[in-house]
Amino acid sequence: MFTRAIVRKPGQSMTDGLRDTDIGIPDHQLALVQHAAYVEALKACGLDVLVLEADESYPDSTFVEDTALLTKACAIITNPGALSRKGEIHSIKQVLSDYYDNIEEVIEPSTVEGGDIMMVGSHFYIGLSERTNEEGARQVIAYLEKYGFSGSTMSVGDMLHLKSGVVYLEDNTIAATGEFVHQKEFEGFRVLEIAEDESYAANCIWVNGNVLVAKGYPKAAGTIADAGYPVIELDVSEFRKLDGGLSCLSLRF
Ligand code: CIR
């Protein structure tokens, strides 16, 4: 179970955020409304939510998940692979020092973004992507082992992050799309297949028994509901324009 989440409001500079998909520039006002609804949903799932003010210096800083990995025993501050995002870690480190005695840091030339790390109990799958390199994964695994956890790497084809395509929903269950549906690593899991034409919805999040799913993906929401999860649908269209989704918008611990 999670008790807390940290989020950061999107700033006006989000219109300069990194984006690979060409589905338009985000509308900041609408993003704020969607973000507020996201915060309310986390609260409804029982979380105490710390809402950080927008940081206009970093257009992608609303995607706080990428800046740290939070475990029961330690926080690991990442080193984002995207140059424009590296500075996001300083304020997050400061914030996390209120919650964690043990804070580790990924150091150059290692790069890691939190969206590439999927926690499954005490094991962490780390996606090797354009943002997370092998040296970064090695460093994270070494830190994890220091605290009694384990880690392993996976490749991340053309997705931005590992969790863009696969997430863990507890109860030995994974939601996956595309290349992640038939991975050897996930053979022992119940795999909920998210159709390729709704692949964006694979980035859903388990929060204390509920699953938050992007609104507008009825097949995905149905698959997850049929698997027995109460589903909360949230419109995150403006974050999608920056290739971000539900998991990216918070650090849950
Ligand atoms: C980026 O490209 O870094 C942002 N525009 C989106 C980050 C999304 N984060 C995530 O999937 N964990």
Side-chain angles (χ1 to χ4, degrees):
M1 297 287 271
F2 296 119
T3 56
R4 296 179 186 281
I6 297 171
V7 303
R8 185 184 291 286
K9 288 184 192 169
Q12 283 175 348
S13 66
M14 77 182 297
T15 51
D16 296 323
L18 298 171
R19 59 197 177 96
D20 239 15
T21 37
D22 198 8
I23 51 171
I25 307 278
D27 175 329
H28 178 236
Q29 286 308 315
L30 181 53
L32 283 173
V33 172
Q34 294 178 347
H35 195 263
Y38 178 79
V39 169
E40 286 313 308
L42 294 178
K43 287 182 179 169
C45 294
L47 301 191
D48 191 347
V49 185
L50 175 65
V51 182
L52 303 174
E53 285 309 316
D55 184 346
E56 297 294 350
S57 322
Y58 297 103
D60 285 296
S61 54
T62 191
F63 301 115
V64 286
E65 174 183 68
D66 294 320
T67 60
L69 170 64
L70 303 185
T71 76
K72 294 280 177 224
C74 67
I76 302 174
I77 307 295
T78 65
N79 177 25
L83 276 180
S84 65
R85 302 199 58 190
K86 288 193 186 288
E88 291 176 25
I89 58 170
H90 304 299
S91 61
I92 288 292
K93 185 178 165 196
Q94 187 68 38
V95 170
L96 289 174
S97 65
D98 287 342
Y99 300 95
Y100 281 91
D101 291 331
N102 300 320
I103 299 187
E104 309 287 353
E105 287 179 68
V106 174
I107 308 295
E108 290 277 355
S110 302
T111 65
V112 174
E113 294 191 1
D116 278 318
I117 307 180
M118 180 172 78
M119 177 176 75
V120 177
S122 59
H123 187 79
F124 294 75
Y125 292 93
I126 305 177
L128 299 175
S129 68
E130 282 185 14
R131 303 289 182 85
T132 295
N133 62 22
E134 292 208 30
E135 183 49 42
R138 257 198 301 277
Q139 232 177 71
V140 169
I141 291 170
Y143 287 140
L144 288 170
E145 288 175 348
K146 176 173 157 188
Y147 293 94
F149 303 113
S150 58
S152 58
T153 58
M154 296 186 60
S155 71
V156 176
D158 9 296
M159 299 215 168
L160 174 60
H161 289 125
L162 177 68
K163 282 186 291 190
S164 310
V166 58
V167 297
Y168 186 55
L169 300 181
E170 303 298 321
D171 308 315
N172 202 45
T173 302
I174 268 171
T177 192
E179 64 187 283
F180 296 113
V181 176
H182 299 294
Q183 291 275 334
K184 204 163 59 58
E185 280 90 340
F186 303 144
E187 265 168 13
F189 292 95
R190 171 170 71 154
V191 178
L192 308 180
E193 182 168 356
I194 306 300
E196 297 232 15
D197 62 343
E198 291 197 357
S199 62
Y200 175 72
N203 183 253
C204 51
I205 49 173
W206 178 95
V207 188
N208 297 347
N210 307 285
V211 179
L212 277 50
V213 182
K215 196 171 191 163
Y217 303 89
K219 285 185 287 187
T223 301
I224 294 164
D226 289 347
Y229 296 97
V231 165
I232 301 172
E233 290 179 87
L234 289 171
D235 193 352
V236 280
S237 61
E238 302 317 291
F239 301 97
R240 182 182 174 215
K241 290 174 181 170
L242 298 179
D243 307 316
L246 288 161
S247 80
C248 331
L249 289 172
S250 61
L251 285 163
R252 303 160 298 282
F253 59 113

